[in-house]
Amino acid sequence: MQPFHYSRVSSIPQALEIQATAGQGRSRPGAAYLAGGTTLIDLMKLEVMRPQSVIDLRALSATHGAIGWDGATLHLGAFASMAEVADHSDVIEHFPVIAQSLSLAASAQLRNMATLGGNVLQKTRCAYFRDPSWQACNRRTPGSGCTAIEGINRQHAVLGTNEHCIASYPGDFAQALIALDATVTLSGPEGERRMPFASLHRQPQGRPDIETNLAPGEIITAFTVPAGAWTRRSLYLKVRDRQSYEFAVASAAVALEMNGRVVNEARIALGGVATVPWRAREAESVLRGHTLDEARANRAAQAAFNGAVPRSHNAFKVALGQSTLVRALLDAASLEVSHG
Ligand SMILES: Cc1cc2nc3c(=O)[nH]c(=O)nc-3n(C[C@H](O)[C@H](O)[C@H](O)COP(=O)(O)OP(=O)(O)OC[C@H]3O[C@@H](n4cnc5c(N)ncnc54)[C@H](O)[C@@H]3O)c2cc1C
C-alpha cells in the first residue's frame, strides 16, 4: 500500500475543504473519501487505488445516517449502514426490494461496516481491473485497452458494454434504487444538488475510468425514494455461484402494481449482467396493461435482453438473466400484499 495522508472530519464543509487542497500538483490522484472502507481499503491494498490523501467521513453517520419514512417518501442518509437499512421495519414493510437487495449483499460483518453511499460507488470486481499486473484495463489506466474482451469473461456484462470495457457493475442496492426512481442528494464545492439516481452511473463510453456523473469532490449525502402503488409488491431476486457472501451472476429488482392479474405498472432493473445498474424499460412496456402469466413474463425477459452482446464465456448470462427475471416477475405477482 502506498503511504497516504489521513484526516478525519466531522462535517461536509470540512471534508470539501481538505478535498480541494489534497494532492494539488502531485502525480498521484488527490483525495479519496473513506466511508465504511470495505471497497476503498481493499483496492488501496491491491494498489488499484493510490490516493495521496484519505478523508475519513465516518463521523457523518451522526448527521447523515438517518432513515425516515413519512408515508410518501423514504429518506435514507448516505452514511447509514447497509445493515441498519436492511433491518429497518419501515423499509422491510414498504420497500421490500430495498431491504432484500441489502440483506442479500456481502456478509453480516461487511453490512455492518459498509454505508449506502459507498455501496452504490463500489468498483467492479473485474479481475483484470483488480490486478495491476494486467496492464490493459481502460477502467484503471485510460487508453490501455481491455484484457477481459479476449480474456476470461464469465463474470462480465452483456448489456451496456463497448469495445473499451465489459466490466459488470457488482452492487445489488443500486438496482432497487433505479427501479424505484430514487433521487440522490449531493454536496459539493458548488453547494447541494439532487439528481435522478438513474443519472449517477455512466456507461463506459470512451472513458470507462469515469464511472459516475459526480462533480470533483462531491459527496453523496442521501437517497430519496418515492412510494408508489408498486413499491409494496416488490422483491429482489439474486442468483449467484453460492448462496451467501457472493456477488450476483444475475439479479432482478421488480416492483408491480396489479389489478387482479393485469399489470397496471411495472418497474424492473437488472444486476450482474450490465456495466451499470440497468433499468429494463422495454420489458416494463411489454407488461403494462397485460395479464401477467409465464408467456408474458417470457416476452418481457426477451425484451430486457434485446441488444445483449455475449462474449466467449458469458453467453449463459442472457438465458440466466432472462429466467431470473421471469421468476422474479411471477413471484412478485403472487405476493400477498396488504394496503395499509
Ligand atoms: C467479500 C466481499 C463481498 C461483497 N459482496 C457484495 C454483494 O454481494 N453485493 C454488494 O452490493 N456488495 C458487495 N460487496 C461490496 C460492499 O457492499 C461494498 O464494499 C460496500 O458497500 C462499500 O461501502 P463502504 O461504505 O465500505 O465504501 P468505501 O469503501 O468507504 O467507499 C467506496 C467508494 O465510494 C467512495 N465513497 C464512499 N462514500 C461516499 C460518499 N458518501 N460520497 C462520495 N463518495 C463516497 C469512496 O471514496 C470509495 O471510492 C462485497 C464486498 C466484499 C469485500
Side-chain angles (χ1 to χ4, degrees):
M1 192 191 274
Q2 299 278 320
F4 58 90
H5 180 264
Y6 172 84
S7 42
R8 187 160 203 186
V9 301
S10 54
S11 72
I12 301 267
Q14 212 185 344
L16 295 174
E17 197 184 321
I18 297 175
Q19 200 281 336
T21 51
Q24 276 179 355
R26 313 266 174 81
S27 55
R28 268 165 59 199
Y33 292 129
L34 175 87
T38 62
T39 286
L40 180 68
I41 302 299
D42 209 12
L43 291 175
M44 286 173 67
K45 286 183 187 163
L46 294 169
E47 301 214 340
V48 172
M49 293 179 80
R50 301 160 71 239
Q52 193 79 46
S53 171
V54 169
I55 305 170
D56 187 340
L57 305 180
R58 279 179 294 182
L60 298 184
S61 62
T63 49
H64 297 82
I67 303 166
W69 164 241
D70 62 9
T73 305
L74 179 68
H75 177 93
L76 301 171
F79 292 89
S81 73
M82 292 170 70
E84 284 166 331
V85 180
D87 296 342
H88 195 279
S89 58
D90 287 333
V91 182
I92 292 170
E93 182 178 352
H94 299 284
F95 297 86
V97 64
I98 291 182
Q100 291 164 20
S101 71
L102 290 164
S103 62
L104 291 172
S107 65
Q109 292 89 338
L110 285 160
R111 293 193 295 273
N112 283 333
M113 287 289 291
T115 62
L116 299 187
N119 184 271
V120 300
L121 295 179
Q122 66 180 283
K123 306 279 183 186
T124 181
R125 309 301 289 194
C126 171
Y128 303 108
F129 169 78
R130 288 174 59 84
D131 181 351
S133 68
W134 294 98
Q135 287 184 358
C137 173
N138 287 323
R139 208 169 267 257
R140 185 165 27 78
T141 312
S144 60
C146 173
T147 308
I149 288 176
E150 299 298 330
I152 307 290
N153 46 43
R154 177 181 181 275
Q155 297 296 340
H156 289 70
V158 293
L159 293 167
T161 62
N162 65 12
E163 73 276 21
H164 301 292
C165 186
I166 62 169
S168 58
Y169 175 79
D172 294 299
F173 173 53
Q175 274 68 249
L177 292 178
I178 203 168
L180 299 185
D181 289 320
T183 300
V184 57
T185 306
L186 308 167
S187 278
E190 309 297 321
E192 187 173 283
R193 68 179 177 127
R194 300 180 75 194
M195 70 156 93
F197 183 76
S199 303
L200 180 64
H201 293 89
R202 282 168 52 117
Q203 287 187 39
Q205 304 169 25
R207 286 288 305 270
D209 58 309
I210 306 175
E211 298 181 335
T212 70
N213 288 314
L214 291 178
E218 269 185 323
I219 297 172
I220 298 179
T221 56
F223 302 93
T224 312
V225 193
W230 46 87
T231 37
R232 277 189 160 206
R233 185 183 293 283
S234 68
L235 60 79
Y236 188 69
L237 180 62
K238 177 172 178 178
V239 176
R240 42 195 163 166
D241 286 333
R242 57 181 179 203
Q243 269 299 46
S244 80
Y245 200 18
E246 191 53 276
F247 291 90
V249 181
S251 71
V254 164
L256 298 176
E257 180 192 357
M258 307 286 292
N259 181 4
R261 293 183 62 219
V262 174
V263 178
N264 279 352
E265 189 54 81
R267 304 295 174 89
I268 300 171
L270 304 175
V273 293
T275 50
V276 289
W278 192 263
R279 180 82 179 260
R281 290 190 188 274
E282 288 174 32
E284 295 172 4
S285 307
V286 170
L287 295 174
R288 255 179 229 119
H290 293 276
T291 300
L292 179 48
D293 54 16
E294 196 164 342
R296 182 58 57 174
N298 271 305
R299 280 181 63 177
Q302 294 276 333
F305 283 81
N306 276 344
V309 180
R311 309 281 166 171
S312 23
H313 307 110
N314 68 359
F316 76 98
K317 280 200 174 183
V318 175
L320 182 67
Q322 288 172 335
S323 51
T324 303
L325 177 54
V326 169
R327 206 177 106 201
L329 288 170
L330 297 177
D331 286 356
S334 64
L335 286 174
E336 288 194 12
V337 178
S338 64
H339 294 281

